[in-house]
Amino acid sequence: MTRTGRWIGRHLVLFAGFLVLLYLFTPIFVVVLMSFNDPKSRLSYEFDGFTLRNWQDPCQPFGLCDAVSTSLRIGLLATVLATALGTLMAFAMVRHRYRGRAATSLFIFLPMASPEIVLGSSLLALFVSAGFGGVLGFWTILIAHVMFCLSFVVVTVKARLAGMDTRLEQAAMDLYANEWQTFWRITFPLVFPGILAAALLSFSLSFDDFIITNLNAGRTVTFPMYVWGSAQRDIPPQINVIGTAMFMLAVLLVLGGELARRRRSR
Amino acid sequence: MAGDLVLSGLTKRFGAFTAVDDLDLTVPRGAFFALLGPSGCGKTTTLRMVAGLEEPTAGSIGLGDDDITGLRPYKRPVNTVFQNYALFPHLDIFENVAFGLRRRGVKEIRRQVEEMLELVELVGYGDRRPAQLSGGQQQRVALARALINRPEVLLLDEPLGALDLKLRRQMQIELKRIQTEVGITFVHVTHDQEEAMTMADTIAVMNAGVIEQRGAPAVLYDLPATTFVANFLGQSNLVAGTILERSGEDLVIDAHGSKQVVPVKRSRVADGEVWVGIRPEKVFLARAGSETDTGANSLRGGVVTDVSYCGVSTQYLARMPWNQELTVFEQNTGARDTFAVGDSVDLHWQPSHTFVLDARQDATAGVEAEETG
C-alpha cells in the first residue's frame, strides 16, 4: 500500500473512533446544555435561551432536593452496608473451604441474573406478607438496594482477592506481622482497589435504581422517581443541573484516581 | 547443641499422601545446608514447617534449646526467601526491607535498611517499587528483607529458580559470600544438584518424603549411598554384579563375567547381588585389547554408539556385550585417544573410584527426575 493509503487507513480508524465517542457523549452534552435552558413554556423540550438561574437555585422545583437527598442517603447507606457485607462474603468464599461454597457462588449470581421487575415485585410481595405493607419507604428501599448491590460487591471483590498471591500474607507473617497486622498492612491495601470499585458501583446502582425502588417505595420519592414523575408533566431544567453535577463529580473522581495512580507508579 | 536446628520424627500428611515421612535432621548452627531433591519430594513442605507456614502432622522442630513446633510464624526467629520472592507490590523497596524491623518496633531503621541494601548492592533503589526491578534485583531485595532481621535460620525456597542461567551462577557466588559474611544458618531448598554442590557445605538428598543421604557434597558425590543419590547427584554407570568373596580389605565382584575389585568400605552390602557403580568421568576409554594399569577394574567388549563433543570434554556412549549403554566423559586434554562411532573399546577405572550398592534398589531411580530439573 502507498503512504497516502496507509495514512487514510490509520485516520479512518481515528475517524470511526471519533464518531463512536460522539455517539456516547451527545446525550451527556444535551444534559449539560439543558441545565442552562430558559424554557418559554412548562412543556418545552427545546433550548429556548441561556440562563444561569437553574444553577443558582437548583432546589426551586418543589420536592426535587428532598428526592436527591433521599437518594444520596439511601445510596451512601446501601453502599456502606453492601460493601462491608459483600467484602466479608468474598473473603469467606475465596479464603475458606466449606460445605456449600459452590452453591453460594451460584446463589450470589441469581439477583444479577433475574429481571429487576421480577425482583422488585417479589420483594413487594414479601414485604407486604411480612406485615411491612404500611411502612414501605426509606428502610424497605434500603433493604432492597443492599440486596441487589451485594452480588456486585461480592463478584468485584472476589475477582480482586482471587488474583492476590497468598504467599504475600505468608511472607508478612514470616516477617513478624501477626494476623491483625498482616490483614491491615498487606491484605487490605492490596484488595482495597477492588473494594473501592465495588463501593462506587454500589453507589451508582443504588442512586440510579428506579424499577425495584418504585415498587417498594411507598410514599417515599427518590431522585429517579422524581424525574420519572415530572417527565409525565414537564421536566424542570434543574434536573439537568443535578445530572450535570453528578456527572462532573464522577469525572473528577476518575481523574483524581488516575492522577493518584500515576503519581504512585512514577 | 546451641543454635542447631533439629527436626525429629517430622511428618506431614495431606490426606492419604505423606509428603514428609518421619524425618530426622540436624542442621548445625552457621551451616550452609542444602535440601536437594526432585519436585514433590517434600523438601519445600519441610521448609514450610520450619517457617511455621505448615503444621506438622507429627514430630517436632527444635531451635537451640527451644521447641518451636507449635509457634506461629511471626514468633519464630526464622525468615524465608520465597520462591517467587513474594515482595509486597504496594510498598517500595525501602519499606519492603524495613517490614520486619517495623513489626518488631526496632529503632534506627533507616541506617539498618541502608546497610542491608548496600550488602545486596542495591543502594539508591529504596524508593522504587518491586515491579520496577529486574528478577535478579527482586531476588536480592527478598534476601535483604529476610536477612535484615538477623534470624537464627534463613530459609531459602528455590531462591534462584526464576533467574536465567548466567544470573543464577552469579547469585550463587553472591549468596555464598553473604552467608560467609553474616554467619547465619542457611537452609536452602533446591532441585538443582549443581547449585546445591556449589553452595552448600552439607547436602541432604531427599526423595519421596525421606532423606536418602546427607553429607558434604564431595562425600555424597564420591560415595553415594543409594541408586537415587548416584543418579540424581551427577550421573552414574550402574552395572549388575554378584559378590564372590572378600579378600582382605577388598570385595571381589563378578560383573558380566569380569572380576571387579572394590574396597570393602566402599560397598553398602557384604554379599549377594549388587550394582557396581562408577562415575562417567572416572572411566578411561581405551582401544579394545589394550593393556590396563595393574589392579584396575575393567569391562571389555564395548562399541562406541555415540560421541558428543562438549568443548572441555567429550561424552561417549559405549554399548556393552550385555546390551547396556555406559557413559564415559573424557577430558579433551589432547593426551588421550579420541574415538568414533563403531570403534571397539574397553573401559578401565580405579577400584578406589568404584562404589557398590544394593541390587534391590532401582537402577534408574533419580534419572528422569534430574532431567526434568
Side-chain angles (χ1 to χ4, degrees):
Chain A
M1 235 210 283
T2 62
R3 274 181 61 173
T4 35
R6 275 203 303 275
W7 189 89
I8 291 170
R10 255 204 318 275
H11 291 77
L12 209 67
V13 172
L14 212 66
F15 184 65
F18 178 74
L19 281 183
V20 171
L21 285 179
L22 198 71
Y23 177 66
L24 286 175
F25 286 123
T26 305
I28 295 171
F29 174 73
V30 169
V31 170
V32 177
L33 186 72
M34 292 306 264
S35 74
F36 296 105
N37 191 18
D38 188 6
K40 286 208 183 90
S41 74
R42 284 173 61 85
L43 274 165
S44 171
Y45 282 94
E46 278 151 30
F47 194 79
D48 295 327
F50 182 86
T51 178
L52 287 174
R53 208 172 52 236
N54 306 327
W55 281 87
Q56 282 156 352
D57 188 13
C59 286
Q60 188 257 325
F62 178 75
L64 172 59
C65 280
D66 286 342
V68 171
S69 148
T70 306
S71 271
L72 283 177
R73 278 183 295 140
I74 291 176
L76 289 175
L77 261 175
T79 299
V80 169
L81 289 173
T83 307
L85 267 175
T87 301
L88 291 175
M89 284 172 78
F91 267 92
M93 289 166 74
V94 174
R95 290 299 169 81
H96 296 280
R97 300 283 170 271
Y98 55 90
R99 270 174 70 103
R101 197 169 70 104
T104 321
S105 288
L106 185 70
F107 288 139
I108 280 296
F109 257 103
L110 284 182
M112 286 196 280
S114 339
E116 274 201 62
I117 187 72
V118 177
L119 275 183
S121 52
S122 355
L123 256 176
L124 177 62
L126 176 71
F127 283 136
V128 171
S129 64
F132 293 123
V135 292
L136 288 178
F138 186 88
W139 296 104
T140 48
I141 297 174
L142 182 65
I143 291 170
H145 283 199
V146 170
M147 188 268 306
F148 69 70
C149 287
L150 204 53
S151 305
F152 289 93
V153 173
V154 172
V155 170
T156 312
V157 177
K158 238 176 90 177
R160 179 81 191 180
L161 203 53
M164 194 187 142
D165 191 350
T166 49
R167 275 176 307 187
L168 293 176
E169 284 150 327
Q170 295 176 357
M173 299 263 267
D174 187 65
L175 292 163
Y176 311 105
N178 59 31
E179 287 83 354
W180 182 255
Q181 292 168 324
T182 301
F183 181 80
W184 288 112
R185 301 266 171 197
I186 304 300
T187 317
F188 186 76
L190 288 173
V191 180
F192 182 71
I195 298 176
L196 186 69
L200 290 175
L201 188 64
S202 292
F203 183 77
S204 69
L205 284 171
S206 164
F207 191 81
D208 222 24
D209 185 73
F210 176 73
I211 301 174
I212 296 180
T213 313
N214 196 34
L215 283 160
N216 295 284
R219 296 177 59 193
T220 306
V221 177
T222 63
F223 179 63
M225 288 167 71
Y226 182 90
V227 176
W228 168 250
S230 54
Q232 316 282 329
R233 297 165 275 127
D234 60 338
I235 296 204
Q238 281 84 351
I239 282 177
N240 293 307
V241 172
I242 304 289
T244 306
M246 292 300 292
F247 173 72
M248 299 301 270
L249 194 69
V251 168
L252 279 178
L253 273 174
V254 170
L255 278 180
E258 183 65 14
L259 277 177
R261 198 185 62 79
R262 286 202 187 165
R263 188 169 314 149
R264 261 205 313 276
S265 64
R266 193 158 37 85
Chain B
M1 283 287 285
D4 289 1
L5 175 67
V6 182
L7 315 182
S8 27
L10 201 61
T11 304
K12 178 69 187 181
R13 289 190 202 95
F14 297 101
F17 175 69
T18 305
V20 177
D21 194 2
D22 196 19
L23 193 86
D24 290 305
L25 189 67
T26 300
V27 180
R29 185 197 178 95
F32 198 131
F33 193 94
L35 259 181
L36 173 69
S39 52
C41 74
K43 56 191 193 303
T44 295
T45 307
T46 306
L47 199 77
R48 289 173 57 83
M49 285 193 281
V50 176
L53 300 171
E54 210 80 69
E55 206 176 318
T57 312
S60 71
I61 302 163
L63 188 57
D65 297 326
D66 304 321
D67 183 354
I68 62 167
T69 319
L71 287 185
R72 304 290 298 144
Y74 48 85
K75 300 267 192 201
R76 302 181 184 214
V78 171
N79 291 115
T80 309
V81 177
F82 287 82
Q83 188 163 11
N84 287 315
Y85 319 137
L87 300 180
F88 305 129
H90 60 303
L91 301 179
D92 62 20
I93 301 308
F94 184 95
E95 285 304 323
N96 263 281
V97 176
F99 193 87
L101 296 184
R102 290 211 194 282
R103 298 292 82 72
R104 288 182 302 151
V106 173
K107 302 275 178 287
E108 291 196 355
I109 287 178
R110 178 155 292 277
R111 187 182 54 78
Q112 288 196 51
V113 171
E114 269 156 15
E115 272 175 23
M116 197 43 72
L117 287 177
E118 200 172 324
L119 181 74
V120 297
E121 291 165 4
L122 283 175
V123 175
Y125 285 82
D127 56 356
R128 307 240 188 140
R129 300 255 164 184
Q132 295 169 302
L133 266 53
S134 72
Q137 289 169 333
Q138 290 185 24
Q139 204 281 331
R140 286 182 293 183
V141 175
L143 183 67
R145 186 178 71 170
L147 268 182
I148 196 166
N149 304 294
R150 302 272 152 182
E152 286 184 42
V153 179
L154 184 77
L155 305 172
L156 302 111
D157 184 7
E158 304 263 9
L160 309 178
L163 305 180
D164 63 54
L165 190 69
K166 201 177 157 200
L167 200 54
R168 198 149 69 208
R169 295 278 170 272
Q170 206 177 315
M171 284 305 299
Q172 285 173 7
I173 298 166
E174 196 75 345
L175 265 180
K176 184 76 198 156
R177 171 183 73 81
I178 290 171
Q179 198 264 340
T180 322
E181 220 162 289
V182 297
I184 290 171
T185 312
F186 275 35
V187 179
H188 180 165
V189 156
T190 179
H191 66 264
D192 182 340
Q193 44 108 3
E194 206 178 319
E195 187 173 298
M197 285 201 277
T198 336
M199 296 165 75
D201 41 48
T202 312
I203 296 179
V205 181
M206 212 172 160
N207 182 34
V210 298
I211 287 181
E212 296 256 339
Q213 190 180 5
R214 59 159 290 184
V219 174
L220 257 61
Y221 187 81
D222 182 56
L223 198 55
T226 64
T227 55
F228 181 86
V229 177
N231 292 320
F232 193 73
L233 204 66
Q235 287 183 46
S236 294
N237 294 305
L238 297 174
V239 180
T242 312
I243 297 181
L244 296 176
E245 56 172 345
R246 176 174 177 158
S247 116
E249 286 305 298
D250 294 323
L251 287 175
V252 182
I253 298 170
D254 172 79
H256 298 283
S258 59
K259 281 196 177 138
Q260 315 294 330
V261 176
V262 182
V264 172
K265 60 177 192 299
R266 293 186 62 82
S267 176
R268 294 282 158 179
V269 277
D271 52 23
E273 303 294 313
V274 294
W275 294 116
V276 176
I278 182 72
R279 295 289 190 180
E281 75 282 3
K282 301 281 172 35
V283 180
F284 292 112
L285 211 54
R287 302 227 170 265
S290 57
E291 289 294 307
T292 63
D293 297 337
T294 11
N297 286 331
S298 57
L299 288 170
R300 295 181 185 274
V303 176
V304 174
T305 56
D306 188 65
V307 182
S308 315
Y309 179 77
C310 317
V312 289
S313 65
T314 305
Q315 184 177 337
Y316 296 99
L317 285 182
R319 186 170 293 284
M320 304 312 288
W322 55 94
N323 227 6
Q324 181 182 11
E325 271 189 339
L326 299 181
T327 310
V328 180
F329 300 154
E330 286 279 1
Q331 290 296 310
N332 291 332
T333 56
R336 299 196 54 80
D337 285 347
T338 55
F339 301 88
V341 173
D343 286 357
S344 294
V345 288
D346 292 343
L347 281 62
H348 308 287
W349 67 91
Q350 293 301 312
S352 60
H353 289 150
T354 323
F355 54 87
V356 175
L357 301 172
D358 192 335
R360 281 171 299 183
Q361 292 176 357
D362 178 10
T364 58
V367 174
E368 300 100 316
E370 204 249 346
E371 278 168 6
T372 54

